[in-house]
Each structure stands twice: as structure tokens, then as C-alpha cells.
Amino acid sequence: MDLVVLIKALILGLIEGLTEFLPVSSTGHLLLVGHFLGFTSTGRTFEVLIQLGAILAILTVYGERLARIALALPTDPNARRFAIGVLIAFLPAVVIGMLAHDFIKTVLFETPAVVCTTLIIGGVILLLVDHMHLKPRHTDATRYPLGTYLAIGFFQCLAMIPGTSRSGATIVGALLLGADKRSAAEFSFFLALPTMAGAFAYDLYKNRDLITFDDAAVIGVGFVASFVVAVLVVRTLLDFVSRHGYAPFAWWRIVVGTLGFLGLWLVG
């Protein structure tokens, strides 16, 4: 196993953990940094499969709360309604993701200029939404109207374009649909569980015959790094956005997208 490759996997795993739940596009960062590091993975599976670390980070932080909701399903209508809401929000990604999977992986994932463009456009949109004088009608992520859950699910599908950001799309959608900043971020955590787990399982199935032992070792390094950093992000993000909003992440996106274009212009 090439030590240099493992170091690159470690760097990318740290980036995944840091950016997965921020509205800055973890996939966009992975593709751009991977491009400039000269890192390639079999079938682009690394970028999807290391998300398992971020999934486990949510379970680590929210495990007790999710367990209470699961145990209450037989007797509590609110718990059942929330579970149905998450499934409704997840459904658009299932349909569109399966239909567009090959195009996303073979075309969009291989075009760094698309990532840079969507990072900048998404940053501008996030900045505009963050400065809107929206009046929140929903402050509890477990009690959104069912129609709101479905609409957020369609917003999430925009993140199939690399650089858009899954959390960014769901957060912007939730804010425009009447959620406050804290609950919008929290629901993006909850919706990440079935979405990322589904993407993980489907991508692993599609590439099961291509992954070698060396691939598994590289993915394992990225997974561990992603998990450790993602736990820290999930524990601190809600308080941060409650105090500072989303403007810092909007500017982050714009700067990274601009630097990405500059890098492509200089080195290709």
C-alpha cells in the first residue's frame, strides 16, 4: 500500500468530516482537492463510501434522541409523523438518484469547473437567503408539516450536482419554507441518515466487483478521519449558526470556488 495514497486519503477524510454537515458541499471539496492532489478512486467510490463516517457521527451525537423516537413509534403519533416526514423527504432522492446515478458519477463528478460554478452560485444564494427577513413559522425539526418535508426533499435533489451541497440545499429549502436557522440545520442532520446510507449502499452495490483490498484500506482511512471530525462539527454547528447565521459559509463557498477556478486556470 502506497503511503502517499494513504496520506491523501487521510486529508480527504478530514475534509469530508469537516464539510459534510456544513452548507459548503463536501463532495465539491473532495473532488476539487482530489483533483489537485492527483487522487483518483475506483468508480469514484471513495467520495461516497467515506460518508459512512459522517453517518455514524450523527448516530453518535443523536443516538439517544433517535432511539427515543424509535421506541415511541408504536404509541406516539408525533413520533410516527416525524418518521413518515423523513421518509417523504428522502423519497425524491431515491427516485432521481437511481435514474441519474451513472450521469452524475461519470460526467458531473469528472468536471471540476461544474463544482467551482455551483460552489459560487450556491454561496451567493445562501448569502441572499441568510440576509432575507424571513419570519420562521417552524422551530422544531420533528414537527414540520408533511408538505414541507416533501418540498425539502426536492430541494435536497439539487445537491446531486457536485458543489451544490446536500446540507446547503436542504437548509436553504427549509428556511424558505418557514423554518428557523437552528431547526433547518438539525433537520439536515436527520435527513442525512437515510440519504447518505442509501447512497452508500447503492454505490457499494454498483461497484462491488471493482473494489480491491487496497481500495478498502484507503476507504477505511478516510472513514475514520471523517467520523472523528464530523462528530466535532455536529456537536458545535447548531450553536454556531444560531449565533452567526450562514453568511460565513456562503463566503467560504465563494472563496473556494474562485480559488478552484484559479487553480484550474494555472495548472489545469
PDB file of all heavy atoms in Angstrom, residues 132-139 175-180:
ATOM      1  N   MET A 132     -32.237  37.597   4.115  1.00  0.00           N
ATOM      2  CA  MET A 132     -33.666  37.861   3.983  1.00  0.00           C
ATOM      3  C   MET A 132     -34.308  37.989   5.361  1.00  0.00           C
ATOM      4  O   MET A 132     -33.908  37.322   6.311  1.00  0.00           O
ATOM      5  CB  MET A 132     -34.351  36.720   3.215  1.00  0.00           C
ATOM      6  CG  MET A 132     -34.071  36.693   1.737  1.00  0.00           C
ATOM      7  SD  MET A 132     -34.975  35.315   0.932  1.00  0.00           S
ATOM      8  CE  MET A 132     -34.493  35.548  -0.758  1.00  0.00           C
ATOM      9  N   HIS A 133     -35.292  38.828   5.456  1.00  0.00           N
ATOM     10  CA  HIS A 133     -36.015  38.984   6.721  1.00  0.00           C
ATOM     11  C   HIS A 133     -37.186  37.993   6.750  1.00  0.00           C
ATOM     12  O   HIS A 133     -38.358  38.372   6.660  1.00  0.00           O
ATOM     13  CB  HIS A 133     -36.501  40.425   6.870  1.00  0.00           C
ATOM     14  CG  HIS A 133     -35.390  41.430   6.942  1.00  0.00           C
ATOM     15  ND1 HIS A 133     -34.499  41.492   7.995  1.00  0.00           N
ATOM     16  CD2 HIS A 133     -35.004  42.391   6.069  1.00  0.00           C
ATOM     17  CE1 HIS A 133     -33.627  42.450   7.796  1.00  0.00           C
ATOM     18  NE2 HIS A 133     -33.895  43.012   6.628  1.00  0.00           N
ATOM     19  N   LEU A 134     -36.824  36.725   6.853  1.00  0.00           N
ATOM     20  CA  LEU A 134     -37.822  35.666   6.876  1.00  0.00           C
ATOM     21  C   LEU A 134     -38.379  35.511   8.286  1.00  0.00           C
ATOM     22  O   LEU A 134     -37.648  35.625   9.263  1.00  0.00           O
ATOM     23  CB  LEU A 134     -37.202  34.345   6.418  1.00  0.00           C
ATOM     24  CG  LEU A 134     -36.592  34.333   5.006  1.00  0.00           C
ATOM     25  CD1 LEU A 134     -35.822  33.041   4.764  1.00  0.00           C
ATOM     26  CD2 LEU A 134     -37.687  34.497   3.950  1.00  0.00           C
ATOM     27  N   LYS A 135     -39.677  35.257   8.368  1.00  0.00           N
ATOM     28  CA  LYS A 135     -40.310  35.053   9.665  1.00  0.00           C
ATOM     29  C   LYS A 135     -40.554  33.561   9.872  1.00  0.00           C
ATOM     30  O   LYS A 135     -41.444  32.981   9.246  1.00  0.00           O
ATOM     31  CB  LYS A 135     -41.632  35.822   9.728  1.00  0.00           C
ATOM     32  CG  LYS A 135     -41.457  37.343   9.682  1.00  0.00           C
ATOM     33  CD  LYS A 135     -42.785  38.059   9.832  1.00  0.00           C
ATOM     34  CE  LYS A 135     -42.580  39.572   9.837  1.00  0.00           C
ATOM     35  NZ  LYS A 135     -43.878  40.305   9.974  1.00  0.00           N
ATOM     36  N   PRO A 136     -39.757  32.930  10.740  1.00  0.00           N
ATOM     37  CA  PRO A 136     -39.897  31.480  10.936  1.00  0.00           C
ATOM     38  C   PRO A 136     -41.276  31.108  11.489  1.00  0.00           C
ATOM     39  O   PRO A 136     -41.775  31.740  12.416  1.00  0.00           O
ATOM     40  CB  PRO A 136     -38.793  31.151  11.953  1.00  0.00           C
ATOM     41  CG  PRO A 136     -37.836  32.285  11.868  1.00  0.00           C
ATOM     42  CD  PRO A 136     -38.654  33.492  11.540  1.00  0.00           C
ATOM     43  N   ARG A 137     -41.837  30.069  10.898  1.00  0.00           N
ATOM     44  CA  ARG A 137     -43.108  29.519  11.390  1.00  0.00           C
ATOM     45  C   ARG A 137     -42.888  28.160  12.065  1.00  0.00           C
ATOM     46  O   ARG A 137     -43.759  27.690  12.781  1.00  0.00           O
ATOM     47  CB  ARG A 137     -44.098  29.348  10.229  1.00  0.00           C
ATOM     48  CG  ARG A 137     -44.398  30.631   9.476  1.00  0.00           C
ATOM     49  CD  ARG A 137     -45.511  30.437   8.447  1.00  0.00           C
ATOM     50  NE  ARG A 137     -45.210  29.378   7.492  1.00  0.00           N
ATOM     51  CZ  ARG A 137     -44.473  29.541   6.390  1.00  0.00           C
ATOM     52  NH1 ARG A 137     -43.938  30.732   6.138  1.00  0.00           N
ATOM     53  NH2 ARG A 137     -44.248  28.557   5.553  1.00  0.00           N
ATOM     54  N   HIS A 138     -41.735  27.559  11.818  1.00  0.00           N
ATOM     55  CA  HIS A 138     -41.451  26.225  12.352  1.00  0.00           C
ATOM     56  C   HIS A 138     -40.103  26.256  13.070  1.00  0.00           C
ATOM     57  O   HIS A 138     -39.099  26.645  12.483  1.00  0.00           O
ATOM     58  CB  HIS A 138     -41.402  25.193  11.218  1.00  0.00           C
ATOM     59  CG  HIS A 138     -42.541  25.305  10.236  1.00  0.00           C
ATOM     60  ND1 HIS A 138     -43.862  25.176  10.611  1.00  0.00           N
ATOM     61  CD2 HIS A 138     -42.536  25.567   8.912  1.00  0.00           C
ATOM     62  CE1 HIS A 138     -44.622  25.333   9.544  1.00  0.00           C
ATOM     63  NE2 HIS A 138     -43.859  25.578   8.505  1.00  0.00           N
ATOM     64  N   THR A 139     -40.096  25.849  14.318  1.00  0.00           N
ATOM     65  CA  THR A 139     -38.862  25.864  15.108  1.00  0.00           C
ATOM     66  C   THR A 139     -38.472  24.478  15.627  1.00  0.00           C
ATOM     67  O   THR A 139     -37.444  24.341  16.278  1.00  0.00           O
ATOM     68  CB  THR A 139     -39.004  26.812  16.311  1.00  0.00           C
ATOM     69  OG1 THR A 139     -40.120  26.390  17.118  1.00  0.00           O
ATOM     70  CG2 THR A 139     -39.242  28.252  15.844  1.00  0.00           C
ATOM     71  N   LEU A 175     -35.388  27.022   5.163  1.00  0.00           N
ATOM     72  CA  LEU A 175     -35.513  28.436   5.523  1.00  0.00           C
ATOM     73  C   LEU A 175     -36.585  29.125   4.686  1.00  0.00           C
ATOM     74  O   LEU A 175     -37.410  29.892   5.203  1.00  0.00           O
ATOM     75  CB  LEU A 175     -34.169  29.146   5.338  1.00  0.00           C
ATOM     76  CG  LEU A 175     -33.029  28.756   6.291  1.00  0.00           C
ATOM     77  CD1 LEU A 175     -31.735  29.445   5.887  1.00  0.00           C
ATOM     78  CD2 LEU A 175     -33.385  29.110   7.735  1.00  0.00           C
ATOM     79  N   LEU A 176     -36.587  28.861   3.384  1.00  0.00           N
ATOM     80  CA  LEU A 176     -37.574  29.480   2.500  1.00  0.00           C
ATOM     81  C   LEU A 176     -38.989  28.977   2.787  1.00  0.00           C
ATOM     82  O   LEU A 176     -39.973  29.670   2.495  1.00  0.00           O
ATOM     83  CB  LEU A 176     -37.215  29.203   1.037  1.00  0.00           C
ATOM     84  CG  LEU A 176     -35.937  29.880   0.523  1.00  0.00           C
ATOM     85  CD1 LEU A 176     -35.638  29.432  -0.907  1.00  0.00           C
ATOM     86  CD2 LEU A 176     -36.062  31.403   0.583  1.00  0.00           C
ATOM     87  N   LEU A 177     -39.074  27.779   3.362  1.00  0.00           N
ATOM     88  CA  LEU A 177     -40.375  27.184   3.668  1.00  0.00           C
ATOM     89  C   LEU A 177     -40.833  27.489   5.098  1.00  0.00           C
ATOM     90  O   LEU A 177     -41.831  26.944   5.551  1.00  0.00           O
ATOM     91  CB  LEU A 177     -40.317  25.672   3.452  1.00  0.00           C
ATOM     92  CG  LEU A 177     -40.150  25.241   1.994  1.00  0.00           C
ATOM     93  CD1 LEU A 177     -39.711  23.788   1.891  1.00  0.00           C
ATOM     94  CD2 LEU A 177     -41.455  25.450   1.214  1.00  0.00           C
ATOM     95  N   GLY A 178     -40.089  28.358   5.807  1.00  0.00           N
ATOM     96  CA  GLY A 178     -40.579  28.827   7.096  1.00  0.00           C
ATOM     97  C   GLY A 178     -39.887  28.279   8.321  1.00  0.00           C
ATOM     98  O   GLY A 178     -40.333  28.540   9.447  1.00  0.00           O
ATOM     99  N   ALA A 179     -38.791  27.533   8.155  1.00  0.00           N
ATOM    100  CA  ALA A 179     -38.071  27.010   9.323  1.00  0.00           C
ATOM    101  C   ALA A 179     -37.101  28.063   9.854  1.00  0.00           C
ATOM    102  O   ALA A 179     -36.649  28.936   9.115  1.00  0.00           O
ATOM    103  CB  ALA A 179     -37.308  25.749   8.943  1.00  0.00           C
ATOM    104  N   ASP A 180     -36.782  27.985  11.138  1.00  0.00           N
ATOM    105  CA  ASP A 180     -35.744  28.854  11.666  1.00  0.00           C
ATOM    106  C   ASP A 180     -34.383  28.227  11.385  1.00  0.00           C
ATOM    107  O   ASP A 180     -34.285  27.070  10.971  1.00  0.00           O
ATOM    108  CB  ASP A 180     -35.949  29.101  13.168  1.00  0.00           C
ATOM    109  CG  ASP A 180     -35.637  27.874  14.010  1.00  0.00           C
ATOM    110  OD1 ASP A 180     -35.960  26.750  13.575  1.00  0.00           O
ATOM    111  OD2 ASP A 180     -35.070  28.034  15.101  1.00  0.00           O
TER     112      ASP A 180
END
